[in-house]
Amino acid sequence: MKVKELSVEPCIVSDVRGFIEKNHYSKSINGVKITQCFRVEHDGELVGAVLFGQMSTTAWRKFGDKEGDVLELRRLVLIDECPRNSESYTIGCCLRWIKRKLPEVKVVVSYSDPMYGHTGVIYRASNFQFIGVTPDDKGFRDLESGKVYHSRALRTKYKGEYKPFVKRLRYKLENGGLEEIVLKGKNCFIYKLI
């Protein structure tokens, strides 16, 4: 397999949801506001996926004048068998597509999470600019599964009501099933499209 043999095409989320949930370290796309997704194929076989979406809450204000100016690269995953430089090639294909098809987007933001050993090498290789580290934050570890949740996950509402997933987490917290932990800050990168 060679990098140039990879096909990066826009798709719908159902095309890549299962792949991301199986292969991405987060094992989830819950809570991700998806604007655009891409599938990465080699010889017709799905080998990767990328999700871009709106930023959580009002974080976009640090990067643009209005929410539509900013997209966040929310998920990027390729199988290990993909050759060296596949990630930066894939990101480049996605950014060119966004620039052509979503001209209102002025900047793409992404974060690398040192908690999972991610330092941002891929973003640097893709000509993103490192702009700093976010502050430490509060999270919760599920004592049964070991899964870690940001504190924001316990506050997410839809039409004024907690989502069923949030209700389950809040119940676990109230009954001693979650322990509070410190989430180390993430490395923040931006790519200006204009």
Side-chain angles (χ1 to χ4, degrees):
M1 178 187 324
K2 296 179 181 167
V3 171
K4 297 286 186 184
E5 295 173 351
L6 297 177
S7 166
V8 182
E9 300 293 332
C11 66
I12 58 174
V13 72
S14 60
D15 291 345
V16 294
R17 176 188 292 274
F19 180 88
I20 293 170
E21 290 174 344
K22 177 182 177 189
N23 295 289
H24 191 266
Y25 71 89
S26 71
K27 304 293 183 201
S28 173
I29 62 171
N30 284 337
V32 176
K33 298 177 191 176
I34 300 166
T35 303
Q36 185 59 52
C37 59
F38 297 87
R39 58 187 295 124
V40 184
E41 292 185 347
H42 180 263
D43 284 340
E45 181 183 338
L46 186 62
V47 297
V50 188
L51 297 183
F52 290 85
Q54 296 171 308
M55 298 190 80
S56 302
T57 63
T58 58
W60 61 266
R61 291 182 178 159
K62 298 176 202 160
F63 308 104
D65 295 328
K66 57 186 185 300
E67 192 171 10
D69 291 347
V70 183
L71 269 185
E72 183 179 349
L73 196 168
R74 302 296 306 263
R75 297 287 187 273
L76 168 66
V77 60
L78 294 164
I79 62 170
D80 290 340
E81 291 75 19
C82 286
R84 182 177 165 91
N85 301 323
S86 295
E87 291 88 352
S88 55
Y89 174 80
T90 298
I91 290 171
C93 291
C94 295
L95 293 174
R96 286 188 291 279
W97 188 94
I98 289 167
K99 193 168 188 168
R100 279 192 323 273
K101 302 291 187 175
L102 301 173
E104 67 279 7
V105 177
K106 295 175 175 56
V107 65
V108 173
V109 178
S110 196
Y111 298 90
S112 67
D113 194 340
M115 185 170 143
Y116 294 95
H118 300 161
T119 61
V121 170
I122 293 165
Y123 303 126
R124 287 183 176 93
S126 301
N127 295 315
F128 278 64
Q129 175 189 358
F130 173 70
I131 61 167
V133 179
T134 64
D136 290 352
D137 211 337
K138 182 167 70 169
F140 296 93
R141 178 179 290 113
D142 187 315
L143 296 174
E144 184 179 330
S145 69
K147 187 164 172 72
V148 173
Y149 300 94
H150 190 280
S151 61
R152 194 172 39 248
L154 277 76
R155 300 188 304 267
T156 305
K157 290 185 177 182
Y158 179 71
K159 295 184 179 180
E161 293 285 324
Y162 289 123
K163 293 180 175 184
F165 168 76
V166 176
K167 288 179 182 177
R168 287 191 300 273
L169 283 180
R170 294 176 73 85
Y171 177 82
K172 279 189 171 192
L173 179 63
E174 291 167 8
N175 290 284
L178 299 178
E179 71 172 333
E180 189 174 316
I181 61 170
V182 173
L183 299 175
K184 298 305 278 175
K186 296 179 182 178
N187 301 307
C188 182
F189 297 87
I190 62 169
Y191 185 93
K192 294 181 181 177
L193 293 166
I194 58 164

